[in-house]
Amino acid sequence: MSQHRIGIVGGSGLYHIEGFTNQNWVKVKTPFGSPSDEFLTGRLGGRDLVFLPRHGRGHRILPSELNHRANLWGMKKLGVAWIISASAVGSLQTKYKPCDIVLPDQFLDRTKQSAAHTFFGQGIVGHISFAEPVSEELRGILLKAACALKARVHDGGTYVNMEGPAFSTRIESLTNHKLGYDVIGMTNLGEAKCAREAEIAYATMAMVTDYDCWKKDEAHVTVDMVLANLKKNAAMAKAIIVNAISEIPLEPSWPCHDALRNALMTEKKLWPAKTKQSLKPILEKYL
């Protein structure tokens, strides 16, 4: 049996997966503050799972308030080596229709949150490679699982991470559309960056709920529209997760799982004791 867990980050509907047994909510204290919620541990398809409701149960946390460091530190502490993220996005191109699924392979940062998207600082400098920000191995597993279920899935694309909480202005949306970007959301970039630093393989299932507001012959995005299409998407998202889990290896051996080996700049003898202790779950194999 693998000692390494699989993480799921998404909406509350995702922990109501048939066969997700031995459920137990676990509180994790982190040196970076509070995670979005307690972590739900359990078993699915013979594997140990950890689920985190991204915005907290009841959807209480704004995208810009998400504590990605605490969320990913908690996942690492609980032994997670792979994370499947599911989140709502707006489509920036006609070919991505509401209820389609996009598996992005790139991110574009339109936030002002970069300092909150890294574990490094406070005396330890690290520069991860992020040219390919998504685990291709995990993304491939999700693609295979989605195709087997005949989902309307798209292989690759650029996810624009805006800050919110307001949706885009029309000119912002039109600009992203004309630049050829694919989907837009408010949450996944920070998760992906912190996951890479924590040597966790990360991939996104971007669930299309609307056309943002660039497409004048479609109603512009509203919360009601997002929620209605997320509900329609939930069953397929859960089915893909169930199918994908059986394809994830028992041992973490992908490039993402060794991301820090050539990323740490500061000499180990200069690492401040307090910072070293705070990052212990992340730096453990390098201590």
Side-chain angles (χ1 to χ4, degrees):
M1 190 193 311
S2 175
Q3 296 181 346
H4 305 282
R5 289 168 157 168
I6 298 167
I8 310 292
V9 181
S12 57
L14 291 181
Y15 57 81
H16 298 298
I17 301 176
E18 187 177 348
F20 188 12
T21 61
N22 301 338
Q23 293 189 11
N24 182 42
W25 288 98
V26 177
K27 188 170 187 176
V28 178
K29 291 181 69 175
T30 91
F32 296 96
S34 298
S36 293
D37 206 322
E38 295 178 333
F39 295 82
L40 181 63
T41 64
R43 299 273 295 169
L44 179 65
R47 299 294 296 270
D48 288 316
L49 243 64
V50 179
F51 172 77
L52 180 67
R54 180 182 285 111
H55 297 277
R57 282 169 282 183
H59 206 107
R60 299 170 286 105
I61 303 169
L62 279 173
S64 58
E65 294 176 327
L66 290 173
N67 190 338
H68 296 297
R69 287 181 292 193
N71 290 346
L72 272 296
W73 192 98
M75 285 283 190
K76 186 71 174 182
K77 181 72 174 175
L78 291 172
V80 168
W82 306 269
I83 288 177
I84 298 170
S85 160
S87 61
V89 295
S91 167
L92 295 171
Q93 304 299 330
T94 306
K95 64 181 178 180
Y96 306 123
K97 298 175 174 59
C99 296
D100 282 12
I101 298 168
V102 181
L103 301 176
D105 56 358
Q106 285 294 327
F107 288 101
L108 183 74
D109 190 357
R110 288 269 173 82
T111 77
K112 305 175 187 70
Q113 299 279 329
S114 57
H117 294 168
T118 179
F119 291 108
F120 293 111
Q122 303 299 312
I124 301 180
V125 175
H127 299 288
I128 55 161
S129 174
F130 208 55
E132 307 298 335
V134 175
S135 164
E136 276 302 300
E137 296 86 355
L138 186 54
R139 205 176 69 80
I141 287 171
L142 291 174
L143 178 63
K144 180 182 174 183
C147 288
L149 291 163
K150 295 183 168 43
R152 295 201 322 249
V153 63
H154 302 269
D155 181 12
T158 296
Y159 176 123
V160 179
N161 201 133
M162 65 179 290
E163 188 145 328
F167 295 122
S168 304
T169 65
R170 193 178 298 281
I171 193 61
E172 288 170 338
S173 193
L174 279 166
T175 299
N176 287 323
H177 163 68
K178 288 177 180 177
L179 286 170
Y181 303 138
D182 297 287
V183 295
I184 186 163
M186 300 181 187
T187 61
N188 282 199
L189 174 77
E191 287 177 359
K193 280 193 171 178
C194 290
R196 182 62 56 85
E197 289 186 352
E199 298 190 323
I200 297 172
Y202 179 92
T204 288
M205 280 197 300
M207 321 298 286
V208 177
T209 57
D210 56 85
Y211 282 107
D212 204 32
C213 61
W214 63 272
K215 203 169 185 290
K216 291 189 176 181
D217 59 345
E218 296 280 346
H220 60 77
V221 56
T222 66
V223 168
D224 286 347
M225 187 186 298
V226 169
L227 293 177
N229 284 327
L230 265 184
K231 201 169 287 186
K232 292 176 187 175
N233 270 343
M236 181 58 77
K238 288 188 277 191
I240 292 170
I241 289 168
V242 170
N243 275 18
I245 281 171
S246 63
E247 299 296 320
I248 294 174
L250 296 177
E251 295 299 320
S253 59
W254 296 340
C256 293
H257 298 126
D258 209 31
L260 292 183
R261 188 159 302 281
N262 298 308
L264 298 167
M265 296 285 288
T266 309
E267 289 184 54
K268 195 182 297 187
K269 66 183 180 183
L270 299 176
W271 291 0
K274 185 177 179 183
T275 307
K276 189 163 63 172
Q277 182 60 32
S278 293
L279 297 183
K280 188 175 179 182
I282 292 161
L283 296 176
E284 200 155 18
K285 76 184 187 188
Y286 303 102
L287 294 175

